[in-house]
Amino acid sequence: MINAASVRSICLLRLSALGDVTHAVTVVRTLQRERPDIALTWIIGKLEHRLVGDLPGVEFVVFDKGRGLRAYADLRRAMRGRRFDVLLHMQVAMRANLASALVPAKKRVGYDMARSKDLHGLFINERIAARSGEHVLDAFGSFLQPLGLRQSSVRWDIPLSDDALTFAAQTLPGDQPTLLISPCSSHAKRNWNAAGYAAVADHAVRTHGWRVLMCGGRSALERQMGDAITAAMHEPVIDMIARDTIKQLQALLGRATAVLTPDSGPMHMANAAGTPVIGLHAASNPARSGPYTERRYVVDRYDAASRKYLGKPATAIAWGTKIEFDGVMDLIEVQAVIDALDRLVGDRVG
């Protein structure tokens, strides 16, 4: 057991991905609120550091996976002479497990047996409580319980510079409502189809007088998807794919009226910014990985996917099962997404 009152230093290890790192911010904020006397260090990935690396009151140690084995040498040097009271080991992938071995800590809190993999149990000496049916963010919140804390509310407040806010205001000037489409997840089989995005975008412009902005990263897949959406649209679209930084994207997400996206980092970044999300879920369970604050506008075909591809209802499969089959996202009907957008517009007017 941890003597919570004696804890003066905590190292949090969550390297990736953007959505999960966004969730982990709420743990940091709870610690800062409840135990401001604790010194916080966060070992984090390079891209993810660009999003949250300016959180006040946190020391960041960047683990650059692109450096291969040298990343571990870098981490070893950064940990030399250090000693933490507690390590919150919040990632079970082998890369993270190996990195955690370089963190000197008395108590090493990790996942329960059911959620452990890649030899996770060898790198910890205390586990969070076993639970099923939790959202990922709530699972992260469980890491506070060995410290005698409970995450009863969530807060993000990811810092944004004046430059990022100015960029968003110049890209989306005025107060015209905006549908921001972030069409791609890092998992290609979670992505919807270009024709569907185009139909919803045209509806937003024609029916509601909204403008539409597309965003995305620098991969060939994202560029191809953006080009296909543009080609299928009949109305104008602001194409910002590969034209913003991660902080500028966060500012754009906060300035948008609604965000349309599959299960992805921008989904959770938008939720953290307080922007309603029309989440597209068939390959993953929105109760586990959908927008945390409000799932009223989610289009959920996870159960249909489970029945079609696994032969059983979603209630009969393991929590967190990914149903990443070719064509699974085509279970999401265009009209269902349009209905979600119309419902959101109606709620704003009402």
Side-chain angles (χ1 to χ4, degrees):
M1 296 293 293
I2 295 175
N3 179 1
S6 68
V7 174
R8 292 293 178 268
S9 62
I10 290 177
C11 181
L12 186 155
L13 192 152
R14 181 74 212 192
L15 305 178
S16 60
L18 285 172
D20 291 319
V21 163
T22 302
H23 295 327
V25 169
T26 67
V27 174
V28 170
R29 292 305 196 187
T30 299
L31 282 167
Q32 290 177 325
R33 181 182 69 242
E34 300 295 331
R35 289 292 306 272
D37 57 309
I38 292 178
L40 298 177
T41 298
W42 186 342
I43 302 174
I44 193 169
K46 183 179 179 180
L47 172 62
E48 293 74 13
H49 180 255
R50 294 173 187 162
L51 176 63
V52 303
D54 52 357
L55 283 175
V58 182
E59 173 199 18
F60 285 91
V61 176
V62 176
F63 183 91
D64 182 3
K65 65 181 182 181
R67 286 175 55 78
L69 293 177
R70 289 177 296 175
Y72 296 96
D74 294 341
L75 180 58
R76 182 186 295 276
R77 282 192 293 272
M79 294 292 104
R80 190 172 295 151
R82 306 289 298 270
R83 184 72 175 174
F84 299 97
D85 294 326
V86 177
L87 167 68
L88 301 183
H89 184 3
M90 300 170 65
Q91 189 163 348
V92 298
M94 181 56 75
R95 179 185 292 115
N97 287 332
L98 293 175
S100 76
L102 303 175
V103 181
K106 301 173 187 175
K107 288 293 185 179
R108 310 172 66 84
V109 182
Y111 281 96
D112 56 279
M113 291 286 291
R115 288 179 282 194
S116 294
K117 64 178 182 179
D118 291 347
L119 305 178
H120 183 70
L122 298 179
F123 300 90
I124 60 174
N125 55 27
E126 186 150 342
R127 296 182 183 271
I128 63 173
R131 293 190 182 92
S132 183
E134 281 189 320
H135 193 281
V136 173
L137 188 148
D138 290 324
F140 284 6
S142 297
F143 279 81
L144 295 166
Q145 292 176 4
L147 300 168
L149 302 176
R150 182 169 177 267
Q151 188 163 276
S152 56
S153 62
V154 295
R155 169 178 161 246
W156 288 272
D157 291 340
I158 296 173
L160 288 172
S161 67
D162 289 341
D163 286 345
L165 293 170
T166 298
F167 172 86
Q170 290 174 344
T171 305
L172 296 173
D175 57 4
Q176 183 182 8
T178 302
L179 175 64
L180 188 153
I181 300 177
S182 179
C184 290
S185 165
S186 58
H187 298 255
K189 289 187 171 69
R190 296 182 193 175
N191 294 341
W192 202 33
N193 55 78
Y197 284 121
V200 177
D202 281 342
H203 176 80
V205 176
R206 292 171 176 172
T207 304
H208 300 299
W210 286 25
R211 62 189 163 192
V212 176
L213 180 147
M214 280 194 307
C215 65
R218 288 159 174 77
S219 70
L221 174 63
E222 289 165 292
R223 184 64 270 161
Q224 291 165 8
M225 175 67 86
D227 290 343
I229 293 170
T230 301
M233 285 184 64
H234 299 282
E235 302 295 336
V237 60
I238 304 167
D239 186 349
M240 291 301 298
I241 293 175
R243 295 176 58 197
D244 55 13
T245 67
I246 196 69
K247 281 292 196 182
Q248 290 169 342
L249 171 59
Q250 184 66 29
L252 287 170
L253 292 165
R255 192 167 176 82
T257 311
V259 173
L260 172 62
T261 184
D263 185 357
S264 63
M267 169 182 286
H268 306 296
M269 293 163 61
N271 182 82
T275 302
V277 178
I278 303 171
L280 305 179
H281 283 265
S284 60
N285 186 350
R288 179 184 180 274
S289 60
Y292 183 79
T293 305
E294 173 61 80
R295 291 192 283 278
R296 171 171 165 74
Y297 309 112
V298 163
V299 180
D300 178 8
R301 297 295 179 267
Y302 184 68
D303 182 68
S306 181
R307 292 174 187 273
K308 178 175 180 177
Y309 292 96
L310 304 180
K312 59 186 76 173
T315 54
I317 64 177
W319 185 256
T321 298
K322 305 295 191 302
I323 311 175
E324 295 180 341
F325 290 84
D326 289 338
V328 64
M329 292 296 286
D330 292 332
L331 292 171
I332 295 173
E333 313 92 335
V334 171
Q335 190 58 52
V337 183
I338 287 175
D339 289 345
L341 175 61
D342 291 348
R343 192 164 60 250
L344 189 153
V345 172
D347 288 348
R348 290 183 74 246
V349 173

